[in-house]
Amino acid sequence: MLQHPDGPLLSLRGVAKVYGEGEARVHALDGIDLDIHAGELVAITGPSGSGKSTAMSILGLLDVPTEGAYTIEGVPVHELSSDVLAVLRNTRFGFVFQQFNLLARTSALENVAMPLVYAGVGARERARRATEALAAVGLAGREDARSNQLSGGQQQRVAIARSIVNRPEILLADEPTGNLDSKMGAEIMKLIQRLNVDQGITVLMVTHDAACAAYAPRQIDFRDGRIVGDTAGKSPVAGATA
Ligand code: ADP
């Protein structure tokens, strides 16, 4: 579906999102223009309620704008059927959240392999790919560990392995270090940076934490549903050639 090889991977134009009606109307996004290129590592910052999660939901095809256009490689998302959107979401995007959302008494391997069950991948291939994903997050040898036997940082590693097991091009992470202390948070940021640089995964990450945002070559700042700062063009695009 690639239309412009040098064009943006993800593009928002005049994107607005309004929740509620009448007196209760909230402009969660108020006309956002944003281009994300393949290979970028972008931190999205801003105070609570500024629209970061809404923007991530739209970018991850979990929600739709009230106004404006979202295009993926030049293809307008609103022209795609819900079936095609579901396939795009499941094959091209990985999601990481503040909550690890792992099954507690289930092994790391089974947690990571879960998306492959839904994708209809056979058991042997599931195990192979889940083992590979666990190795990529530094958990080789911990395949049989149950989630409740792992530290918070290790649990987030398992969640990240699960998010990349489908080999997505784009990782959307919403406060991935929010439940971790600063040391574990730094380890998770180094891991995310490594996935970006070594595997060329495009990463968009929401964070409250300036120390985490500093790992990203590009930082976008939200206020009141608008982008009020964007360091794009001020530093080279990370991992663009990976
Ligand atoms: P952030 O992620 O920066 O904290 P959000 O995108 O979650 O901001 O929210 C932006 C604004 O939209 C807030 O005022 C929030 O209360 C409102 N909002 C978000 N989701 C909903 C929803 N489902 N219904 C009503 N209002 C919402």
Side-chain angles (χ1 to χ4, degrees):
M1 65 157 51
L2 197 70
Q3 293 194 337
H4 307 287
D6 299 324
L9 176 60
L10 310 178
S11 181
L12 301 178
R13 282 296 174 274
V15 164
K17 181 75 188 181
V18 179
Y19 290 110
E21 306 210 337
E23 297 267 295
R25 271 165 76 91
V26 175
H27 285 262
L29 293 177
D30 197 8
I32 299 277
D33 295 330
L34 177 62
D35 286 338
I36 305 290
H37 287 83
E40 285 197 278
L41 167 55
V42 180
I44 296 177
T45 60
S48 184
S50 58
K52 306 181 299 294
S53 298
T54 302
M56 293 284 271
S57 296
I58 289 172
L59 289 165
L61 303 171
L62 299 165
D63 204 349
V64 290
T66 318
E67 277 175 47
Y70 175 26
T71 57
I72 301 181
E73 289 177 339
V75 177
V77 162
H78 70 267
E79 290 178 2
L80 303 175
S81 70
S82 56
D83 286 352
V84 171
L85 286 178
V87 170
L88 270 182
R89 185 167 55 235
N90 293 334
T91 57
R92 303 191 70 175
F93 291 88
F95 297 89
V96 176
F97 301 96
Q98 181 170 347
Q99 315 293 340
F100 317 129
N101 300 322
L102 302 176
L103 297 174
R105 284 184 290 279
T106 304
S107 72
L109 190 85
E110 284 172 286
N111 269 292
V112 172
M114 204 66 77
L116 300 175
V117 175
Y118 299 118
V121 177
R124 186 184 289 244
E125 178 65 7
R126 287 204 300 270
R128 194 186 69 74
R129 285 214 234 154
T131 303
E132 191 179 279
L134 281 167
V137 301
L139 287 177
R142 301 306 307 273
E143 293 82 6
D144 295 333
R146 295 173 197 282
S147 309
N148 51 6
Q149 299 169 331
L150 298 172
S151 70
Q154 288 172 327
Q155 289 183 53
Q156 188 62 303
R157 284 173 188 272
V158 174
I160 292 172
R162 182 182 54 192
S163 78
I164 61 168
V165 78
N166 264 333
R167 302 188 185 120
E169 295 159 74
I170 305 148
L171 190 64
L172 299 180
D174 199 342
E175 298 280 4
T177 65
N179 276 351
L180 304 175
D181 66 28
S182 56
K183 183 166 169 286
M184 282 189 187
E187 284 174 16
I188 291 299
M189 282 316 306
K190 284 181 196 146
L191 169 61
I192 287 174
Q193 198 176 43
R194 200 149 40 74
L195 294 174
N196 170 250
V197 174
D198 295 350
Q199 301 195 17
I201 299 177
T202 305
V203 182
L204 276 89
M205 172 193 65
V206 167
T207 183
H208 271 99
D209 183 346
C212 291
Y215 283 85
R218 180 179 176 192
Q219 295 164 18
I220 297 173
D221 197 22
F222 276 66
R223 287 280 186 293
D224 299 328
R226 298 197 176 143
I227 292 175
V228 296
D230 185 345
T231 63
K234 291 174 188 160
S235 56
V237 174
T241 56

